[in-house]
Amino acid sequence: MSEWRNASGNTLRDYPRPSLAVDVAVLTVAEARLHVLVVESPHDGLALPGTFVHPNERTRDAADRALRTKAGVSDVEMHQLAIFDDPTRDYRGWVMSMAYGTAVARDRLPGNAFLVGVTDGEPDESLAWDHARMVRLAVADLRARYADEVDPDYLIGHEFTVLELRQLYEAIYEHALPKDTFRRQVSDGLDSTGKVSSAAGGRPAELFRRRAGTYLPRSAAGVFEAHRIDVTR
Amino acid sequence: MSEWRNASGNTLRDYPRPSLAVDVAVLTVAEARLHVLVVESPHDGLALPGTFVHPNERTRDAADRALRTKAGVSDVEMHQLAIFDDPTRDYRGWVMSMAYGTAVARDRLPGNAFLVGVTDGEPDESLAWDHARMVRLAVADLRARYADEVDPDYLIGHEFTVLELRQLYEAIYEHALPKDTFRRQVSDGLDSTGKVSSAAGGRPAELFRRRAGTYLPRSAAGVFEAHRIDVTR
DNA sequence: TGAATAGTGTCTATTAGACATTATAAG
DNA sequence: CTTATAATGTCTAATAGACACTATTCA
């Protein structure tokens, strides 16, 4: 590699470079609760799927690759959370990790996926390294995005009833939501399909689709979120 | 360095590592407008202050060091924005950059600081590399944080009038705010000092301090922000 | 006194939240 | 019919936004 030199005299070979990893917190809703996808290794215990970044690879592509090869998940839209850069965070040496977050419907994950429940941003089982903090950031990010749009990550299908949508939001925000207020908050973000769901004992519920390009009202965050997750820990 | 090997067989020396830089978007309000602090280099033109990360240094410490040495600014609380990792983004080779954002009062910057006006997240003059995108992220981050608390970055002093505070917010959000509604939005986040400002022709204005540990109401974001900055570009 | 600015009261339209009512299905 | 669930209407309290009014200074 030629030694390009910029105005301040730095070159790309002046000093050691960090190893760069990515880790991905894949959230999902199963049994009406938030879960995070983990992988188990004999040496490090439970951890988020991750990998080292390959030469000239983007971190997002590395995260995609980690999900594909270690968790059997593809075609996921991810969001940068933070870089974890404590030089002592990895026993192997100077390893930084870019954390990504996303959410995927349960039925897009392998049937034997290892899911750990998440309560108020905290995994029910302890994770390796600083991965619990990554989960906390992922949940805060998920909640912020879900207060902005109707189920942007398609945790439920393309067509759904308001009840199904509300139960999804109750799982994400971890508390009950009033059914009439919830309906009014989201109704502007829904398109009616005309169809109804097969009734479960009572009046059949109407099936809706996400309305493209609509945001939920600013008040939605206040309605959904009972409290804020402390992401500073 | 010993070759620690983890369960999946990776080592820390398997493949090349990226050079890692940091760049900092320091926003300030001058002449009732948002500005961003830039440095000028003969080779690259206008750019955000930045530096390469030193061995075993945290990115935040590197960002501190860049601000101190290249812009004469110290003791600034910064926020991670995003990692910029396009492998072709730097002509010198594979260089990623972690972007940080912050805001600093004009009088904490050197008198000869190079400030570029910012309109709707866009610097008035073109910046090197992808630094304009970093500015966009910094402005979005600033607005989100200022909708949460009263001037958390101390862009105005410890004691201030509601008028001064409102003019600050009008500069940050780039539109006029109704004086009575604004006052009601922020009043719960203020403590009265009893003192009044030296009058400027009319009734003297009361001086307030930030009330510790209070958040602005959730509706504040809707009142302040006329529209959202597109950070996807 | 009038001019200028700070601060507050009032009215209206909107709406979150609670509750009641109607609508539509199955048995 | 009864029962169950969906969807909507109604009432109240809170409040954003607009506007007017009062308060306090200086000239």
Side-chain angles (χ1 to χ4, degrees), chain B residues 52-201:
Chain B
F52 284 93
V53 177
H54 286 348
N56 287 307
E57 187 181 39
R58 278 176 172 266
T59 58
R60 188 178 308 275
D61 296 330
D64 270 333
R65 181 168 51 77
L67 277 196
R68 205 170 51 245
T69 58
K70 299 199 173 178
V73 188
S74 300
D75 295 319
V76 167
E77 194 195 326
M78 288 178 296
H79 304 267
Q80 284 189 16
L81 299 176
I83 198 165
F84 286 74
D85 59 358
D86 183 340
T88 67
R89 63 180 287 280
D90 193 311
Y91 58 85
R92 293 167 296 184
W94 190 27
V95 179
M96 296 193 189
S97 176
M98 188 68 212
Y100 277 85
T102 185
V104 176
R106 175 67 184 90
D107 58 20
R108 287 184 58 197
L109 301 177
N112 62 351
F114 196 143
L115 298 180
V116 171
V118 174
T119 306
D120 199 32
E122 211 64 41
D124 292 344
E125 306 186 41
S126 71
L127 303 186
W129 293 291
D130 36 26
H131 288 190
R133 280 186 60 207
M134 296 181 184
V135 173
R136 208 147 49 216
L137 291 171
V139 173
D141 174 70
L142 181 77
R143 291 186 180 170
R145 293 186 297 106
Y146 269 66
D148 236 40
E149 292 180 69
V150 172
D151 187 23
D153 293 352
Y154 285 81
L155 289 176
I156 52 179
H158 279 68
E159 300 188 349
F160 47 84
T161 67
V162 176
L163 174 62
E164 289 166 342
L165 187 66
R166 178 162 53 89
Q167 287 172 337
L168 172 66
Y169 274 76
E170 289 178 340
I172 291 173
Y173 292 99
E174 290 176 54
H175 65 93
L177 297 170
K179 73 164 191 167
D180 40 14
T181 298
F182 178 82
R183 188 187 194 88
R184 284 168 183 135
Q185 288 288 342
V186 301
S187 62
D188 282 347
L190 300 181
D191 273 326
S192 171
T193 64
K195 292 184 285 187
V196 293
S197 75
S198 46

